[in-house]
Amino acid sequence: MVLLVIKMWVKHLCIPMGVCHCLMFLVAMCFVYFAKAFQGSYMKSSVTQIERRFDIPSSLIGFIDGSFEIGNLLVIAFVSYFGAKLHRPRLIGAGCLIMAMGSFITMAPHFFQGPYKYETTISHFPASNGTEGILPCLTIGSLTHDNEIPTCEKAASSSLWLYVFLGNMLRGIGETPVMPLGLSYLDDFSREENTALYMALIQTVGIMGPMFGFMLGSFCAKIYVDIGAVDLDTITINHKDSRWVGAWWLGFLLTGGVMLLAGIPFWFLPKSLPKQGETETERTSNVLGGEQDCFISDNNKNSTAPNKPSPVSMAVLAKDFLPSLKKLFSNTVYLIIIITTIIQFNGFIGMITFQPKYMEQIYGLSASRTIFLIGISNLPSVAFGIVTGGLVITIMKKFRLNVLGASKFCITVFVLAFSLMIVQYFLQCDNSQVPGLTVSYQGAPEVSYKQNALISSCNMGCSCSLRHWDPICASNGLTYASPCLAGCQTSTGVGKEMIFHNCTCIGESPLPYANMSAVLGQCPRKSDCDYRFKFYMAVTVIGAFFSACAATPGYIILLRSINPELKSLALGIHTLLVRTLGGIPPPVYFGALIDMTCLKWGTKQCGGRGACRIYDSGAFRLVNLHWHFQKSNILEIN
């Protein structure tokens, strides 16, 4: 219906149908660029929620996140070569359909798993009046929580996360034809002077996708995962709790629907178009244009157009490939750029994947707030930096500055970004004060990775489980790992309003306290933590801007450092190596490094190690420093 209305409007205005199709393709490409960025950024924003829902470590969620690049690399060579000879718009439409299917498959486990059951140590017992009461400190029987039946762990450790892996891989496969086939189609059939404008418009609209994706992620992270299926009044945790799982599946339903809509126009576009501004004579002499020219000579055709070079056989192309590759890798500058780009991309992927988790752990923020702040501050800053870098290159061309000038500009912004990165390291909050993990039961700083450190004289008689995480905030400002480990004897209230009384560990602490009571949840950070966080965000936004400023100049340096006849091969090899070595490994190894900083692992419903609940802030800061250093490293070489 929409296409019919557009055609009628075009006919009324006497616009040629070829121009109409080209503009329709431009609008469709803008929408699909927005949709794929919207979809991809939502996946990034949901990493923490998926990790908690499936009770998996950060290294495994990193592997799942990297499946997008795996899927992309599986078909990129096939699509790039054969796609140019097929119906390009319909291939893009098929890619959109596959990406939509990937989103729907990703959300499927939510409907197979049943209700989410977060871990808790609170024990229920029947009271004398027939009601049910809470007994935090058990003197007998609770030790069985640490020795669950081992066969139950296999049932709890469901492999349904494989659906998320498969869905993300399908998204990578579906995304493959969008850029190479879409941009080449636009370039083939639009005016030469309009191509740059069209591509800039597509990229500009695409930049808006991540902002909306992270905002959707923030919204879904606030909604409980089983919304509509459980009574929320019975839930004792809120969206700030490290056990909270938001409605991660809901966003994939929406992004999949948007991607499905984005692919519809491509099914109605022709295989080829008359080039904008081309006369009938030129159109006849150029029956096939652009990338759809034959790569293999046709023996049945003995003549070619007078101004058109003879087709080159595949045998000649294959013979020249290895010498060209050898010549390309003999270029020292090109090799250095390849290596440094891989290092930089490693840092960027590690940062964008785990920055929400970092902000949660270091500053005590909720997942929804961290995702929202990244979406409205960091991403627009990056977009503005890329545009600024492009403007600088334009000005440099006007004043006839060369590659050396671009290199000096990159070095300058690197120094600025690196300086801000060092400042970030000192704008951190201390560990959340948890007796037995980050402080002693007397309140002295003391980081411990051993479970036995959770036992103290004040809770020794309670037979507490050491494997579960069920934090409470005491009136002395300390967060105890569970009501039992705080030595609490009784409780009042239900749900989120539950209060624990007669907590013996509070009385034994030398810290001042108002009473011997505690409430559910972790204690808020110190007052100066919020002040530090505001400075951290300001420095992060400015640093992201300076880092992004070097993107366009760095790309120009790459193009100017290689021979013109090797440009296409150089860009292809550059993309292949960067996506293979810079896109797949970093979520895995950064996730493994983050797992090493975990102080308290969660426990699955039937036993076994779940997702991490609290990290050592000092060690996590070093991982953060690592990925920021890698992210800035490319600028140093340039």
Side-chain angles (χ1 to χ4, degrees), residues 499-567:
I499 300 176
F500 300 91
H501 305 283
N502 301 323
C503 303
T504 56
C505 291
I506 298 176
E508 289 194 10
S509 170
L511 299 174
Y513 58 91
N515 50 53
M516 302 275 286
S517 301
V519 296
L520 287 169
Q522 290 183 242
C523 293
R525 298 298 178 93
K526 295 178 180 179
S527 58
D528 66 333
C529 188
D530 187 58
Y531 181 74
R532 287 170 178 259
F533 173 70
K534 291 176 181 176
F535 273 99
Y536 168 81
M537 283 303 300
V539 171
T540 300
V541 168
I542 298 171
F545 168 77
F546 283 130
S547 296
C549 280
T552 304
Y555 202 73
I556 295 299
I557 293 171
L558 171 64
L559 293 174
R560 298 295 179 267
S561 64
I562 51 183
N563 294 329
E565 65 270 14
L566 297 177
K567 189 176 296 183

Side-chain angles (χ1 to χ4, degrees), residues 315-367:
V316 175
L317 290 175
K319 184 178 180 181
D320 291 340
F321 178 73
L322 289 179
S324 298
L325 199 64
K326 182 179 179 181
K327 186 177 181 181
L328 188 63
F329 282 101
S330 299
N331 188 328
T332 307
V333 176
Y334 179 74
L335 279 178
I336 293 175
I337 291 176
I338 285 281
I339 294 170
T340 51
T341 304
I342 290 172
I343 295 173
Q344 183 255 359
F345 208 66
N346 270 252
F348 176 76
I349 293 296
M351 182 199 69
I352 199 66
T353 304
F354 296 112
Q355 189 178 16
K357 180 194 288 286
Y358 175 79
M359 292 167 65
E360 282 182 62
Q361 292 293 325
I362 301 299
Y363 298 102
L365 305 177
S366 65

Side-chain angles (χ1 to χ4, degrees), residues 361-413:
Q361 292 293 325
I362 301 299
Y363 298 102
L365 305 177
S366 65
S368 60
R369 189 183 176 195
T370 59
I371 295 167
F372 178 77
L373 289 173
I374 292 172
I376 66 168
S377 58
N378 287 41
L379 295 178
S381 176
V382 170
F384 186 54
I386 293 173
V387 173
T388 303
L391 290 175
V392 169
I393 289 298
T394 303
I395 295 171
M396 289 172 63
K397 285 183 178 180
K398 186 176 181 180
F399 290 97
R400 301 182 181 277
L401 296 177
N402 54 14
V403 175
L404 183 60
S407 300
K408 289 179 179 179
F409 174 76
C410 288
I411 293 173
T412 302
V413 293

Side-chain angles (χ1 to χ4, degrees), residues 29-231:
M29 279 296 293
C30 288
F31 188 22
V32 80
Y33 256 68
F34 169 84
K36 75 184 186 72
F38 179 53
Q39 192 182 54
S41 58
Y42 179 76
M43 175 65 192
K44 290 291 185 184
S45 71
S46 302
V47 162
T48 302
Q49 308 300 317
I50 295 172
E51 177 183 340
R52 294 173 182 174
R53 184 63 182 96
F54 294 95
D55 266 326
I56 54 179
S58 297
S59 55
L60 182 53
I61 194 63
F63 176 63
I64 294 172
D65 184 66
S67 63
F68 178 87
E69 300 292 346
I70 295 174
N72 198 284
L73 292 169
L74 284 175
V75 296
I76 191 169
F78 176 84
V79 169
S80 297
Y81 181 75
F82 292 101
K85 301 169 181 59
L86 302 174
H87 197 302
R88 285 178 283 181
R90 289 183 182 174
L91 278 178
I92 296 172
C96 292
L97 181 61
I98 293 172
M99 283 191 279
M101 288 175 55
S103 278
F104 297 144
I105 290 173
T106 299
M107 63 172 279
H110 170 74
F111 301 98
F112 301 151
Q113 282 185 297
Y116 170 59
K117 295 182 180 179
Y118 53 89
E119 60 177 314
T120 180
T121 60
I122 298 174
S123 302
H124 300 257
F125 73 97
S128 57
N129 59 2
T131 61
E132 190 177 46
I134 302 297
L135 185 62
C137 179
L138 292 176
T139 55
I140 58 172
S142 62
L143 283 174
T144 56
H145 289 292
D146 287 339
N147 299 284
E148 297 288 351
I149 303 172
T151 56
C152 189
E153 181 182 341
K154 184 176 181 180
S157 303
S158 172
S159 298
L160 289 176
W161 59 265
L162 288 170
Y163 282 87
V164 183
F165 178 88
L166 176 62
N168 204 37
M169 181 183 288
L170 282 176
R171 286 200 315 105
I173 293 173
E175 192 262 355
T176 307
V178 174
M179 187 178 76
L181 302 188
L183 297 184
S184 65
Y185 186 90
L186 198 63
D187 185 51
D188 285 347
F189 305 117
S190 62
R191 290 180 184 271
E192 187 175 346
E193 61 269 22
N194 290 341
T195 302
L197 176 63
Y198 292 163
M199 291 185 179
L201 181 61
I202 291 171
Q203 297 289 349
T204 302
V205 175
I207 286 173
M208 298 171 62
M211 184 169 64
F212 282 90
F214 272 86
M215 291 176 69
L216 176 63
S218 173
F219 173 75
C220 292
K222 271 191 175 181
I223 303 173
Y224 189 64
V225 61
D226 294 316
I227 182 72
V230 297
D231 183 4

